[in-house]
Amino acid sequence: MTDKPEKLIDKKGLRLDGRKPDELRPIKIEVGVISNADGSAYIEQGKNKVLAGVYGPREVHPKHLALPDRMVLKCRYHMAPFSVQERKSPAPSRREIELSKVIRESLEPAIFVEYYPRTMVDIFVEVLQADGGTRCASITAAALALADAGIPMRDIVVACAAGKAGDTIVLDLMDEEDKYGTADVPVALMPNLNAVTLLQMDGILSYDEFESAVNLAIEGCKKIYTMQKEAIRRKYASAKEEGEE
Amino acid sequence: MAAVITKVKQKEIAQLIEKGKRLDGRGLTDFREIKIEQGVIERAEGSARVRLGRTDVLVGTKIEFGEPFPDTPTEGVLTVNAELVPLASPVFEAGPPDENSIELARIVDRGIRESKAIDTEKLCIEPGKKVIVVFVDVYVLNHDGNLIDASALAAMGALLNTKVPNYEVEDGEVKIKSGHTQLPIKRNPVTVTFAKIGGKLVVDPWLEEEQVMDARLSIAIDDDGNICAIQKGGNGYFEPQMILEAAKIAKDKAKEIRKKLGW
């Protein structure tokens, strides 16, 4: 357990890890990392390490859940027991069940679910190491895994949080800011459609602060979106080279 | 939580909302009639039953003595659970809580926790060892839409009505004495839920509106008009502008409800 830091923002206006308020953590994204999965992606955002895999469209299991006019989308968000300071029981917690639901609902608006009736698509997200903002990193990776699996989508969903640490509105909260900050606002976005597909908040914000946090989170989303696109191009550029050999 | 609703009715609901009207005659930002009854279960330390139109939610609180969480050794513990009991709707099934009831419980929990509604510091008996644990159990008795706002109101109603038994500590053991004090409550958050239907926002959706909505947005507002919790739900999306509009409406609505209830 880390002790509560004295101040989340120093005199120069910098954060605990030296970032400016509107700065993202270093992000590394890789697409196509699990050979068994139909689509997969890996993201590192700060100390977050998150792996997402997609299986499908495939037969619905159990069969009676099949829908005649659309696919069934399933999502499981799960944290590894060693991903946090104190060992987390591998059994799904209430938090993980809620996050599985909101992550699924953040991705579903992007998917043309009516293209694959009577099928199922499974999204599996494993948080290998958590550092604040895992739901956002999970959405960013899961959307890429869906794209990698060739699921037709309106846009690639991307997510980023903003919040309030001390008296400052900050982007991409890390663990300490999440724990000891005043508020956390995770946002998922389809940038091309200007559509917010996930919005949560906890903490206390005035209306004006909330407005700046949402706008800052959207800016962050757009920056990560560029990295997502680069990552997916990288995979298919290398796949092309392999094919030419 | 899907149930059958005809395509004709879906269309009718959406078309009316397009014109700024609703099937049950309400304006787009009107709540249904809110009735709250407190102290309805004598065995519970606190209780409240809220009727929001035909939606009916009962909340009971129980007080126990237990250990604090290691990261908050000087604070009491709040636990919220929600049961979608099978008698409340043809689509509710008995069994362990599903994602809908867990989400409901966690939204109610977040509203109370983040607004700091309960003065948890006053629930500490011995730092790191003994604190008061408050259990809030949400019991949905009839589902006619907007369980979130009804449950959040009933939970606050029950907490305001909760009595902590008097006790003394002897050799590290808590002994209950006769008499009681009121559970210390600092804030009264109110949650306002919106449904997005055909590009418009409606407040307090009833069941059939929930079945046609694209997405849902719940916003908890504290006594000062600050936002303290938000949850988006459903398979649709919101334009950023619409979210800000909802936050403004929620602030006014919460004030209105708080005034009506005398909170």
Side-chain angles (χ1 to χ4, degrees), chain A residues 115-134:
Chain A
Y115 284 14
Y116 297 95
R118 295 183 186 283
T119 67
M120 173 169 85
V121 168
D122 278 293
I123 304 165
F124 298 113
V125 176
E126 289 292 337
V127 176
L128 307 178
Q129 182 164 277
D131 182 31
T134 57

Side-chain angles (χ1 to χ4, degrees), chain A residues 74-78 90 92 96 100 103 122-126:
Chain A
K74 281 196 180 175
C75 177
R76 180 179 116 124
Y77 163 95
H78 186 246
E96 286 170 298
S100 298
I103 291 171
D122 278 293
I123 304 165
F124 298 113
V125 176
E126 289 292 337

Side-chain angles (χ1 to χ4, degrees), chain A residues 98 101 196-197 200 205, chain B residues 103 106 110 231-232 238:
Chain A
E98 185 208 344
K101 181 176 191 281
V196 174
T197 63
Q200 292 185 295
L205 290 180
Chain B
E103 187 188 31
R106 288 181 58 87
R110 222 172 285 150
Q231 179 96 340
K232 177 253 172 190
F238 288 93

Side-chain angles (χ1 to χ4, degrees), chain B residues 5 13-14 16-17 21-28 30 32 144-145 195-197 202-215:
Chain B
I5 167 169
I13 291 172
L16 271 175
I17 287 171
K21 289 179 192 164
R22 290 164 91 171
L23 204 54
D24 57 2
R26 279 186 285 160
L28 297 188
D30 292 345
R32 289 168 289 180
D144 193 36
K196 181 190 170 200
I197 300 174
V202 298
V203 170
D204 179 27
W206 59 302
L207 188 61
E208 291 187 347
E209 286 173 338
E210 283 190 353
Q211 283 160 3
V212 300
M213 72 182 175
D214 301 316

Side-chain angles (χ1 to χ4, degrees), chain A residues 7 89 92 200 229 234:
Chain A
K7 262 189 189 153
S89 152
Q200 292 185 295
K229 284 194 289 190
R234 251 194 329 268

Side-chain angles (χ1 to χ4, degrees), chain A residues 29-33 148 229-245:
Chain A
I29 306 177
E30 219 178 310
V31 176
V33 287
D148 186 37
K229 284 194 289 190
E230 278 165 13
I232 204 154
R233 279 200 195 106
R234 251 194 329 268
K235 180 198 164 177
Y236 286 97
S238 64
K240 199 181 156 211
E241 279 162 25
E242 276 169 29
E244 281 165 357
E245 271 165 24

